[in-house]
Every structure is written in C-alpha cells, then in structure tokens.
Amino acid sequence: MFDRLAAHANTDASLIRRGKRLNLDFLVGADDQDFIISIRSGRVQEVKPRSVAIESGQFAIRARSDVWREHWQPMPKRDHHDLFSMMAAGLASIDGDITPFMQNLLYFKALLAAPRGTNTEAA
Amino acid sequence: MMVTFEAITGRYFNLTVNDAAYRIYMEEAGSGIPLVCLHTAGSDGRQYRHLMNDPAVTDHYRVIAFDMPWHGKSNPPVGWQDQEYQLTTELYRDTVAAFCNALELDNPVVMGCSMGGRIVLHLALEQPDNFRAVIALEGADRLHPYYDTDWLHRPNVHGGEICAGYVSGQVAPQSPDEYRWETLWAYMQSGPGIFKGDLHFYWVDGHFDDRSPEIDTGRCPVYLLSGEYDSSCTPERALATADRIAGSHVSIMDGIGHFPMSENPELFRTHILPVLDTIRA
C-alpha cells in the first residue's frame, strides 16, 4: 500500500530539502505486509516488499492498514493525524535503531503523511 | 509614523524567586481584571499574542503574559551554565505567585496551557483566596508519558528540530498552517534542555490527582478546556480531572489541539470569550 509513496514524496521540494542529508533504508509495516523504503538524499529511491527475513532496514514502523488509510485522509480523526499521536494511542509502533528517526523526526512524519488527501487505496 | 503598533507592550523587570534573581520579560495589553497567562512547556509568552490583540478581551481584562525564567526573553539565573534546568512543582508555583505579588495584582485570573494548565490547579488548591478563578487549557491532574524526554537534549540530535518534531502532532490538522508553524517556531527557539526540564514537572513531578478533589471551587472557580486533538491532555483526561474537582466547568474544543491560543486563535476565542464573560459577570 506504499506503492505511490515515492510519487507523493518526491514532488515535495520542502520535504526533500528537509531530508537532503538523509541516506538510509527503513521498514514500514501494514498488517502483515512489510516494505523496505530506501531514502537517498531525502528522496524515496525505492519501495519494495520485504524479500527475506533478515532484511530489516535501520528501524521499523508498523500500523494496521486501516490506521494508515485514516492517517492519509484529508482531515484524519484524532489519534490518527500524526505518527507520534498514533504511537501515543497504541495504533503504531517503532522498533530498532531509532536515532536517525529522531534526528529527522519532522522529515519522517511528513514523509509518511505524504499520501494525505490522495487516493489512499493506491498510496 | 508609518507603522501601526499592536496593542501589546513589553517590559523587563527583576524578580527574586526562592533567593534566585531573574531578569523577567513580560507583555501586557488592556485594562481591567488582571488575566495572567502561562505558556506551555518549552515555549514562551508569545503564544498569547492573539488574545492580547483582541479588544473583546482587552476591553475587560489586563492581559499579562510573562516568559518563565530560562524561557523566551527571560534570562536563566547567573551561573546557569553549571546547572541542569529542571522545573519542580514548588519552583513553578512559587514563580507564578512571586510574579503576581511583585506586580501587586489584585485577585487575578490565572490561565495556563499544558504545564501552565496543571500549575493553575495547584494554585487553586493551595491559594484559593488569591485568585478570582483559574483556567486550565489542556491541563489535567494526571498524564501518562508517551515519549522518552532524553531525546530532547543530547549532542547527536538537534534540540530545536526535535522539540518541534515532538509537538508538531499536537497541533490539530484543521489549524491554519501559518499558526501551526509559528507555534512550532517557538519550540525551535527554546534553550537547550529547557523543554525537557519543563517536562519533569509536566510528566513526573506535577501529578496530584490524589489532591485535586480537595479544590474548593466555591473559593476559586476552575474552568477546564481541552482540545479534541490533544494527545497528552486528552479530552478523556480533562473530563476525568473535572470529575475529580467538584463544581468545576469543563468543555472539549472540537477541531483544536494542544495549543489553542496560538494554533487557532479564531476558533479558540469562540471558546474562551464565554468563559471570560462568565468570570467577570
């Protein structure tokens, strides 16, 4: 469900500027599906389904697919409107080495909200 | 002159709190009943600029917002470089009381947001006859931390960026972008470790749900207002606080987050004006 993340994120000049020094892979999960997202110089270079068990990225963020879809609504419900709020409400989790996530917190929040207001089924 | 000044004036003065001297910055506008406004953790008094520019408020209230020591344009104490800033219940309560005493404010209303919304409940309990009423914006008597504050002050994470990142989701999605980013700008400007030090009071030291039922709202009325999108002082926690304080008034503000006065001033005034009208009636 993150197929079009690159199309949404890579047209956002402000987002790319914010992440221009960022180069890493991280994992995003929706239900039992995991995706590896590769970031290079702030751009989404690739989104691909996780292929092998040891492919993890530097950290992993997971939520149910219905939570992600609500997160991408033009006006999300409370507890769904922000990644930290989703975590506070127990609707999302993060594991792994979260240092780069914290160092680029505004970037990752904006990146994962990039499909907001678009066709969320195809996001 | 070719400029149109706002109604707000800013002044500095020296304030001693528990034997420590601070150079304090305050702003004010209007005349009438003193209304002392307390900013959120890790920010400063600029959050109240819209209220201080609203004649519907300033025609009846002398609105005063000051930057807490270590915040905004108020200085930390001399020797700050050798201390770790940590706000305690006692220090916060004594600072607000010292400010009101220094300005010889007569029976002021005190309104605080977030950690300010918590300390006003302490003031209502411990000094009920000194305050005409207290207003707790996004203030509950108990919270549940949902993040680790150690990330807010460490050499490998930019303090301004992480402070704004921590609270960005506390602004409701409906709030205008202009005010969302102005609210976050203040967080990006706070001194190193200050937001973290404030959260010691907010997350750890300031709980008093065991004592809040002792507040006598007959002596000091209590008003609680909480935003729908607040993830720390959630509507449920505000309602639970109100349940524990007999005679308190509570309302939930739809479509607003943790920073009502700065993130959506137009919407906020529809909630706060009726409260201020009731208090002065």
Side-chain angles (χ1 to χ4, degrees), chain A residues 18 75-78 81-82 84-85 88 98-99 102-103 105-106 109, chain B residues 146 151 156 161-162 165-166 168-169 173-174 188 228-229 231 235-236:
Chain A
R18 194 176 286 285
M75 204 56 70
K77 293 188 291 194
R78 63 178 282 225
H81 64 290
D82 171 81
F84 260 35
S85 299
I98 66 170
T99 299
M102 289 299 197
Q103 288 170 325
L105 182 54
L106 285 167
K109 282 187 170 190
Chain B
Y146 62 93
W151 288 101
N156 60 343
E161 298 274 357
I162 188 80
Y166 261 44
S168 64
Q174 295 90 342
M188 291 176 167
E228 176 189 8
Y229 280 85
S231 297
E236 290 79 6

Side-chain angles (χ1 to χ4, degrees), chain B residues 33-55:
Chain B
I33 300 166
L35 172 62
V36 177
C37 300
L38 308 176
H39 58 74
T40 62
S43 187
D44 60 59
R46 285 175 293 177
Q47 292 177 320
Y48 289 96
R49 74 176 179 93
H50 304 286
L51 207 67
M52 285 193 277
N53 275 311
D54 188 341

Side-chain angles (χ1 to χ4, degrees), chain B residues 113-156:
Chain B
C113 187
S114 185
M115 70 169 190
R118 173 86 60 71
I119 201 64
V120 301
L121 300 179
H122 286 269
L123 293 170
L125 174 64
E126 295 168 16
Q127 304 174 31
D129 300 325
N130 292 346
F131 299 100
R132 186 179 181 120
V134 302
I135 304 170
L137 307 173
E138 319 305 326
D141 58 8
R142 172 167 282 276
L143 298 175
H144 301 275
Y146 62 93
Y147 48 63
D148 176 357
T149 60
D150 276 346
W151 288 101
L152 295 172
H153 189 206
R154 53 200 296 167
N156 60 343

Side-chain angles (χ1 to χ4, degrees), chain A residues 7-54:
Chain A
H8 298 310
N10 292 346
T11 54
D12 184 341
S14 174
L15 178 67
I16 294 167
R17 179 184 55 79
R18 194 176 286 285
K20 66 184 178 184
R21 300 186 192 284
L22 192 60
N23 297 282
L24 56 73
D25 296 349
F26 73 105
L27 186 151
V28 175
D31 301 331
D32 57 356
Q33 282 191 299
D34 288 342
F35 301 87
I36 301 295
I37 299 177
S38 301
I39 305 295
R40 298 293 179 269
S41 300
R43 293 176 178 272
V44 177
Q45 185 183 57
E46 185 178 28
V47 178
K48 62 178 183 180
R50 181 186 200 170
S51 57
V52 294
I54 62 168

